[in-house]
Amino acid sequence: DSCGAAVKEAKMANVLEATNRQQFEDFLAKAGKNLAVVHFQAAWAPQCGQMNEVMAELAKEHAHATFVKLEAEAVPEVSEKYDISSVPTFILFKGGEKVDRLDGAHAAELTKKVQGLAGSRSPQGAADGGAGDLNQRLKKLINAAPCMLFMKGSTQEPRCGFSRQMVALLKEHSVQFSTFDILSDEEVRQGLKAYSNWPTYPQLYVNGELVGGLDIVKELAESGELENTCPKAVTLEHRLKTIINQSPVMLFMKGNKEAARCGFSRQILEVLNTAGVDFDTFDILQDEEVRQGLKTYSNWPTYPQLYVKGELIGGLDIVKELKESGELESVLRGES
């Protein structure tokens, strides 16, 4: 059928892509009682690309589970239904019903949730494999993200003082990292000590190599080397400032110059097009993080929003008032 023909397999084997609500529902129906993992993603976000690779690896290990990715903004009715406000977000289903959720690029946590809900491929085989299999598992976890922190608890709820300090330190230095809760897995907790020859937690790994514990990370932070050691997270505020200043006149709208996707955006385009001043646009429907973040950043709850030289001018009503008073052109040129 036409829906089936539109289904695209992602470049990575076994990860399916849904481009509309019908495909999404079809995938859930076909999964039946088996696990279905749905990744709400955005093409612009590098962390989503990393997590798709994690999904591809999990798909190889769990052949009975279904792994689906979909652009959060392209299927807004599905995103709204499951309260998707940022990417990446993962919703896990069984029998068509939501059974779990994970917000953020936490490879190890996603792996753990999938293993718990899909079941291991061969528990007996894992037992027979012994230390060799455990070492392979540890190696996979260590390399699950460019920066991996093995800690007690999670970033939201650290379960010991050292882990709490480590998380605070990494966040303070805008380090992008994933975590694994060693309290949830005794085999990993004990095995990693021997594997890394490091007897305590937390433990921080970068690109598969042990950096060390809290004391070493503190020393790196004090010497200014931590930023060079760990991958840097681009803060949302920095992203917003960069986009706002991309052009002297920037319009944040639904759609683009060629195709406005709401009446207010269409009207503001008509007004600006008569002003004779060049402007660039940003389609908020393509970027949920910007769409939500800019409302807070600008303290302006609606769209469209117009900026001149990095400063908020306002929305459609203000732009209309400026046109009626004859001030619009000078405001757009940054003259007043």
Side-chain angles (χ1 to χ4, degrees), residues 115-151:
Q115 286 173 342
L117 288 164
S120 300
R121 284 175 301 170
S122 171
Q124 186 58 45
D128 294 344
D133 279 0
L134 176 58
N135 282 349
Q136 277 300 109
R137 193 172 161 228
L138 294 172
K139 193 173 179 181
K140 265 192 175 180
L141 286 173
I142 288 165
N143 287 281
C147 186
M148 277 297 298
L149 176 64
F150 291 81
M151 62 179 286

Side-chain angles (χ1 to χ4, degrees), residues 64-290:
H64 295 297
T66 301
F67 292 83
V68 180
K69 65 174 185 173
L70 80 167
E71 286 285 318
E73 277 292 355
V75 196
E77 63 271 37
V78 178
S79 296
E80 284 167 21
K81 181 178 179 181
Y82 294 102
D83 196 25
I84 306 301
S85 58
S86 62
V87 293
T89 294
F90 299 85
I91 307 289
L92 291 80
F93 297 87
K94 267 197 164 180
E97 296 295 318
K98 175 184 159 187
V99 291
D100 207 345
R101 176 190 182 112
L102 176 66
D103 293 87
H106 304 296
E109 286 180 47
L110 180 64
T111 301
K112 187 173 74 176
K113 286 178 184 292
V114 169
Q115 286 173 342
L117 288 164
S120 300
R121 284 175 301 170
S122 171
Q124 186 58 45
D128 294 344
D133 279 0
L134 176 58
N135 282 349
Q136 277 300 109
R137 193 172 161 228
L138 294 172
K139 193 173 179 181
K140 265 192 175 180
L141 286 173
I142 288 165
N143 287 281
C147 186
M148 277 297 298
L149 176 64
F150 291 81
M151 62 179 286
K152 293 180 179 178
S154 63
T155 49
Q156 291 79 24
E157 292 182 33
R159 299 277 294 278
C160 82
F162 299 121
S163 291
R164 187 175 295 109
Q165 287 181 63
M166 179 74 97
V167 167
L169 195 58
L170 294 175
K171 284 185 174 178
E172 183 188 331
H173 289 268
S174 300
V175 173
Q176 186 173 321
F177 64 101
S178 289
T179 63
F180 185 90
D181 180 6
I182 55 154
L183 297 179
S184 69
D185 195 318
E186 189 63 22
E187 188 181 44
V188 169
R189 181 181 185 174
Q190 300 305 329
L192 193 59
K193 292 180 188 178
Y195 181 90
S196 62
N197 197 23
W198 194 271
T200 58
Y201 290 101
Q203 293 182 17
L204 184 70
Y205 291 77
V206 174
N207 296 324
E209 298 292 327
L210 176 67
V211 173
L214 180 60
D215 289 343
I216 286 178
V217 173
K218 275 183 175 176
E219 286 172 19
L220 288 170
E222 284 162 13
S223 68
E225 293 175 64
L226 185 60
E227 281 83 352
N228 299 325
T229 305
C230 298
K232 192 92 166 163
V234 178
T235 65
L236 177 56
E237 186 177 348
H238 179 76
R239 270 197 80 209
L240 293 173
K241 280 182 180 174
T242 302
I243 299 167
I244 287 167
N245 289 282
Q246 205 167 282
S247 173
V249 182
M250 276 298 296
L251 175 65
F252 291 80
M253 61 178 287
K254 293 180 180 178
N256 54 42
K257 282 184 183 181
E258 290 72 37
R261 297 278 294 279
C262 82
F264 300 121
S265 292
R266 191 174 298 110
Q267 287 181 62
I268 203 167
L269 278 182
E270 288 167 3
V271 175
L272 293 176
N273 283 332
T274 63
V277 176
D278 284 340
F279 64 96
D280 281 343
T281 62
F282 186 93
D283 182 1
I284 57 157
L285 297 179
Q286 298 300 316
D287 194 322
E288 185 66 18
E289 187 180 44
V290 169

